[in-house]
Amino acid sequence: MFVYKPAGLTSNRPVVVFLHGCGSQAAQYDNETGWTKWADQMKFVLIFPQVTSVQPDGCFRYYMAEHQMYNAGEPLSVVQMVNWVQSHYNTDSKRVFVTGFSAGAAMTNIMLATYPDVFSAGAPVAGIPYKCTESPAGLDNCLKGNVTLTAKQWGDKVRAARPGYSGPWPRVSIWQGVDDGTVAPVNATWTMEQWTNVNGLTQTPQTSNTVSGQPHRVYGANVVEAYDVIGTGHQFPIKPGTGTEDCGSGYPGQDNGICASLYTARWFGLDK
């Protein structure tokens, strides 16, 4: 793992885990997404897990059953990183969050499902729901949006991840580019259905509005939210510039008109 610890950090501060996408490395998502800018301003620790050379494609193994379980595989490894940071930097164990892009977004849903007692909220960006598939053979159907389940069936997958768990389930902020040709945008709908069902909510938004020009929906008392980022393909949404709400560099020439990391950080409550 890589750790970003901003200058002037005091004890009892939050932790954010960022999980990278396939074919890329952790170092491509720190300044490029704007997360280090907000860590400096809001004073929290960032953890960037890095897939090793064991995986030639650089992917978290989010599509394999053995890495979708509590106390096993890659989820356990990520939680061990959180524990290490907590023990070395005396961070707040009640304010631990997880986010990620693409494969890292799928892994974000895994972390939320398997460790709801560790992560109080998460933000998958262009990912698939928890246990959309449990083997590589089923991955293509997930990515193309060819899976048909009810909201309860999606929710049951999460509830089965931690049998007997009776605590609160995490809040979830869902981000998806409407022109994504890699992860079908319907995956954002499935993810919404999964987490609203787990949290005992209907799939009808309580409010619908626009944020920085992007369609935004809120379910329940700000328990689940979803952004449909217009004019955006398979990208982590950024807004380059030097303004107070600008962030990131991303791909050359990329500008999605909204800084996902800023609105996610605020939604996590990191600015409080």
Side-chain angles (χ1 to χ4, degrees):
M1 67 171 172
F2 298 92
V3 177
Y4 184 79
K5 177 179 176 288
L9 188 78
T10 58
S11 62
N12 207 39
R13 298 304 301 161
V15 173
V16 174
V17 178
F18 190 102
L19 302 165
H20 66 78
C22 286
S24 55
Q25 298 181 344
Q28 294 174 268
Y29 291 92
D30 49 10
N31 298 322
E32 290 83 354
T33 58
W35 270 109
T36 51
K37 178 178 179 178
W38 314 125
D40 286 334
Q41 290 188 14
M42 302 177 192
K43 302 302 180 187
F44 56 86
V45 178
L46 283 163
I47 301 174
F48 294 92
Q50 171 68 61
V51 173
T52 68
S53 58
V54 166
Q55 281 290 90
D57 59 1
C59 284
F60 289 99
R61 287 167 283 186
Y62 64 95
Y63 45 79
M64 299 172 67
E66 56 265 42
H67 297 287
Q68 299 172 344
M69 300 167 58
Y70 168 69
N71 207 31
E74 290 177 351
L76 175 60
S77 180
V78 172
V79 167
Q80 288 172 335
M81 296 176 189
V82 172
N83 293 339
W84 187 93
V85 166
Q86 288 176 337
S87 67
H88 283 73
Y89 300 137
N90 193 27
T91 54
D92 187 350
S93 62
K94 295 182 179 179
R95 290 190 293 168
V96 181
F97 308 93
V98 60
T99 184
F101 172 69
S102 190
M107 200 69 192
T108 293
N109 283 319
I110 291 173
M111 300 311 303
L112 296 173
T114 54
Y115 288 93
D117 49 342
V118 173
F119 300 99
S120 59
V125 181
I128 64 174
Y130 175 64
K131 279 202 174 181
C132 182
T133 181
E134 296 181 55
S135 71
L139 181 57
D140 194 53
N141 274 333
C142 292
L143 296 177
K144 290 181 178 178
N146 296 330
V147 179
T148 304
L149 295 176
T150 66
K152 182 180 182 301
Q153 288 172 322
W154 284 120
D156 285 345
K157 289 176 177 288
V158 172
R159 284 182 284 269
R162 286 291 294 272
Y165 176 73
S166 59
W169 290 99
R171 299 163 59 235
V172 184
S173 177
I174 304 158
W175 293 76
Q176 178 67 50
V178 298
D179 297 327
D180 194 330
T182 301
V183 176
V186 71
N187 279 281
T189 301
W190 297 344
T191 304
M192 175 276 292
E193 291 176 349
Q194 185 167 69
W195 288 108
T196 51
N197 181 264
V198 167
N199 279 288
L201 305 171
T202 71
Q203 285 68 61
T204 301
Q206 183 170 325
T207 59
S208 297
N209 58 0
T210 59
V211 176
S212 195
Q214 303 296 344
H216 172 244
R217 302 179 307 282
V218 178
Y219 301 82
N222 213 23
V223 175
V224 175
E225 68 169 4
Y227 285 87
D228 302 314
V229 189
I230 297 170
T232 297
H234 196 60
Q235 297 174 325
F236 186 97
I238 63 167
K239 185 182 179 186
T242 58
T244 57
E245 296 197 346
D246 296 342
C247 75
S249 55
Y251 303 111
Q254 180 187 349
D255 186 349
N256 308 106
I258 187 170
C259 176
S261 58
L262 172 61
Y263 286 99
T264 299
R266 288 175 174 171
W267 194 76
F268 285 166
L270 300 173
D271 58 336
K272 301 296 189 295

